Amino acid sequence: MSTEGVTMTEATYAAKYGRWGADRPIGVAVLGMGNVGSEVVRILREHADDLRARVGAPVVLRGVAVRDTTNRGIPGELLTTDADALVARDDVDIVVEVIGGIDPPRRLILAALNAGKSVITANKALLADYTGELAAAAERSRADLYFEAAVAGAIPVVRPLIQSLAGDRVNRVVGIVNGTTNYILSAMDETGADYADALADATRLGYAEADPTADVQGFDAAAKAAILASLAFHTRVTAADVYREGITRITAEDLETATALDCTVKLLAICERVGSGPGEPDPAEGGKERVSVRVYPALIPRKHPLATVSGAFNAVVVEADNAGRLMFYGQGAGGAPTASAVLGDLVMAARNKFYGGRAPGESVYAELPIAPIGDTPTRYHVNLQVADKPGVLQAVAGEFAEHGVSISTVRQEEHGGRARLVVVTHHAMESALADTVSALAEMASVTSVTSVLRLEGTEE
């Protein structure tokens, strides 16, 4: 029997038992048994009959790699501390990695892929930096690599970008992809709490980790943005390509100002096509468009769909030429929601084993350059403390004009000898706004530049 075109694992099985049939099990190894891994194991065991019906063959849990084999609530023979040996077993066909971090998951996933075994992972940090390496290993052995659970938990956004929109041109992906920061900002907006109190509340309720750095500094969202941009624009984007700002500097005053503008503040992951670089021809005239990928807190109008996403929920808006605007909304984290995405990938991988198909491989044919943040246009909200005397407003407006930043509106509030200016600009390049802010900070009549927030989601 020919084994040409099948994975190494299938070839081994085919030599012993023939092709997959309705009674031949598909073996699954789970690496990690935290919140997500525990739910994956539970669903595999409790819904074995449903999974068999959906796949066409039994889906059997072969083992679970853990650090500590005690008190896990499953038969002891399924537990092991030797993840490498579990991955290498001949009766394992699909490996589910839900450990997190870079190593050992990178080594274990590569071992599985090199052996022709399908891999499902929820590891956004690993994918954001090593998708190319993992995809190449999958391609060499004709194995499957699935990662729906790596972005926005239960929300199906990865597969639509890879498959449903494969015939369309995606122009923009923008979303709230971190539940911790969305909970904090929602609490600040709804209750008037400051950042520290909102973070403490999020920690108490389990929405924030004991060390929340990855969330509140934007690292988690940046990794997810890199994955989304790579898929949307057929260009390999890593976490290092993503401009990143967190929410630690957002104040209750920022939320008050947002309310006055009929806006709220959200940590946004923004991936979009932008024009060619300075001095290069426009894409319409033969120049090469670029990709801008960035994560930062921004003002968005309350009428915008993302403004209504509150608490720990996530949402992603995709804009394409022909499909128009699509919005994906739901629980972006948690054991059961993330496990749902993992099991969806597992069923797809198991079906491919049974029927002989393959998951789509990495698509990076476009190779678009990454635009630096300085070349990215958006609108801005600048909050200034200034001396309350004649001529200050004119001088401040002149500084904006000097750097080519057009002002949309100005609001002035007086407070006993001092005044606050709130300036909202039209679209301007980030570099021009940065130069403007530096110049304002040097003006004798400007006490301080209190805050600078981008304004997204407007038509101007």
Side-chain angles (χ1 to χ4, degrees):
M1 174 176 57
S2 171
T3 58
E4 183 178 357
V6 299
T7 68
M8 295 166 63
T9 299
E10 289 175 277
T12 301
Y13 268 103
K16 289 184 178 180
Y17 312 113
R19 297 281 183 170
W20 254 285
D23 295 323
R24 177 175 159 194
I26 296 172
V28 178
V30 176
L31 310 182
M33 202 174 172
N35 289 338
V36 177
S38 297
E39 289 297 315
V40 170
V41 170
R42 178 187 65 79
I43 296 170
L44 278 171
R45 300 182 71 211
E46 292 182 4
H47 298 279
D49 291 341
D50 286 338
L51 293 172
R52 176 174 183 161
R54 294 168 190 174
V55 170
V59 179
V60 178
L61 179 64
R62 299 300 192 189
V64 184
V66 294
R67 291 180 180 175
D68 181 1
T69 60
T70 59
N71 300 320
R72 293 290 180 170
I74 63 173
E77 62 268 20
L78 288 176
L79 299 173
T80 178
T81 58
D82 191 344
D84 294 274
L86 178 60
V87 168
R89 281 172 53 170
D90 286 341
D91 61 351
V92 167
D93 309 297
I94 299 174
V95 174
V96 176
E97 184 274 310
V98 284
I99 302 172
I102 304 301
D103 287 311
R106 179 185 175 197
R107 184 190 76 248
L108 294 167
I109 289 174
L110 284 172
L113 292 172
N114 288 331
K117 304 183 182 189
S118 299
V119 169
I120 291 96
T121 179
N123 196 331
K124 66 264 183 183
L126 179 63
L127 290 164
D129 285 331
Y130 295 100
T131 293
E133 180 183 43
L134 302 182
E139 186 62 32
R140 283 193 302 270
S141 60
R142 300 185 61 77
D144 285 348
L145 175 63
Y146 283 105
F147 49 90
E148 181 67 69
V151 180
I155 302 173
V157 65
V158 170
R159 191 167 291 116
L161 286 172
I162 294 175
Q163 296 179 333
S164 304
L165 296 171
D168 210 338
R169 171 187 163 94
V170 176
N171 297 308
R172 195 168 196 257
V173 180
V174 56
I176 297 166
V177 295
N178 182 271
T180 300
T181 52
N182 200 54
Y183 179 88
I184 292 170
L185 292 173
S186 295
M188 293 175 70
D189 182 45
E190 294 164 7
T191 69
D194 62 21
Y195 168 77
D197 288 341
L199 173 59
D201 188 46
T203 304
R204 179 179 59 82
L205 294 173
Y207 291 123
E209 301 286 347
D211 179 1
T213 301
D215 294 320
V216 300
Q217 294 289 2
F219 290 102
D220 175 82
K224 295 170 181 175
I227 295 168
L228 290 172
S230 298
L231 299 175
F233 308 125
H234 304 279
T235 294
R236 190 173 294 157
V237 179
T238 69
D241 296 320
V242 182
Y243 177 82
R244 174 191 54 79
E245 290 181 16
I247 67 166
T248 55
R249 295 182 182 179
I250 300 299
T251 65
E253 185 179 57
D254 290 327
L255 272 301
E256 290 175 8
T257 300
T259 298
L261 295 171
D262 198 26
C263 291
T264 188
V265 178
K266 298 292 185 182
L267 183 71
L268 298 181
I270 302 171
C271 318
E272 63 181 348
R273 298 176 187 266
V274 297
S276 51
E280 298 178 3
D282 187 90
E285 299 175 355
K288 192 166 188 178
E289 65 184 356
R290 298 175 297 168
V291 171
S292 172
V293 191
R294 54 204 194 268
V295 167
Y296 48 55
L299 294 161
I300 56 172
R302 291 194 184 273
K303 63 182 180 181
H304 192 281
L306 291 177
T308 63
V309 179
S310 62
F313 279 73
N314 284 190
V316 178
V317 175
V318 179
E319 298 174 9
D321 274 357
N322 300 299
R325 175 183 282 185
L326 307 171
M327 183 170 175
F328 303 86
Y329 168 82
Q331 295 191 57
T338 305
S340 172
V342 169
L343 265 294
D345 281 348
L346 193 151
V347 168
M348 296 299 294
R351 284 175 177 169
N352 287 343
K353 293 288 184 185
F354 185 74
Y355 292 106
R358 274 199 70 203
E362 184 187 31
S363 174
V364 291
Y365 73 90
E367 297 182 334
L368 299 178
I370 307 299
I373 188 64
D375 292 352
T376 302
T378 192
R379 302 183 68 194
Y380 302 89
H381 171 279
V382 184
N383 196 330
L384 306 166
Q385 293 290 338
V386 300
D388 187 9
K389 61 183 182 181
V392 172
L393 178 57
Q394 181 178 358
V396 167
E399 204 62 67
F400 276 87
E402 177 70 21
H403 293 88
V405 180
S406 175
I407 293 177
S408 173
T409 62
V410 178
R411 188 175 80 252
Q412 181 171 337
E413 301 172 359
E414 298 181 3
H415 298 282
R418 297 209 174 273
R420 184 172 74 155
L421 292 181
V422 178
V423 179
V424 178
T425 76
H426 292 291
H427 276 88
M429 289 295 182
E430 181 88 17
S431 56
L433 192 282
D435 290 343
T436 304
V437 170
S438 295
L440 290 170
E442 297 297 322
M443 293 178 62
S445 56
V446 175
T447 306
S448 65
V449 180
T450 308
S451 66
V452 178
L453 286 172
R454 288 114 179 145
L455 177 58
E456 299 284 351
T458 66
E459 298 300 323
E460 291 187 55

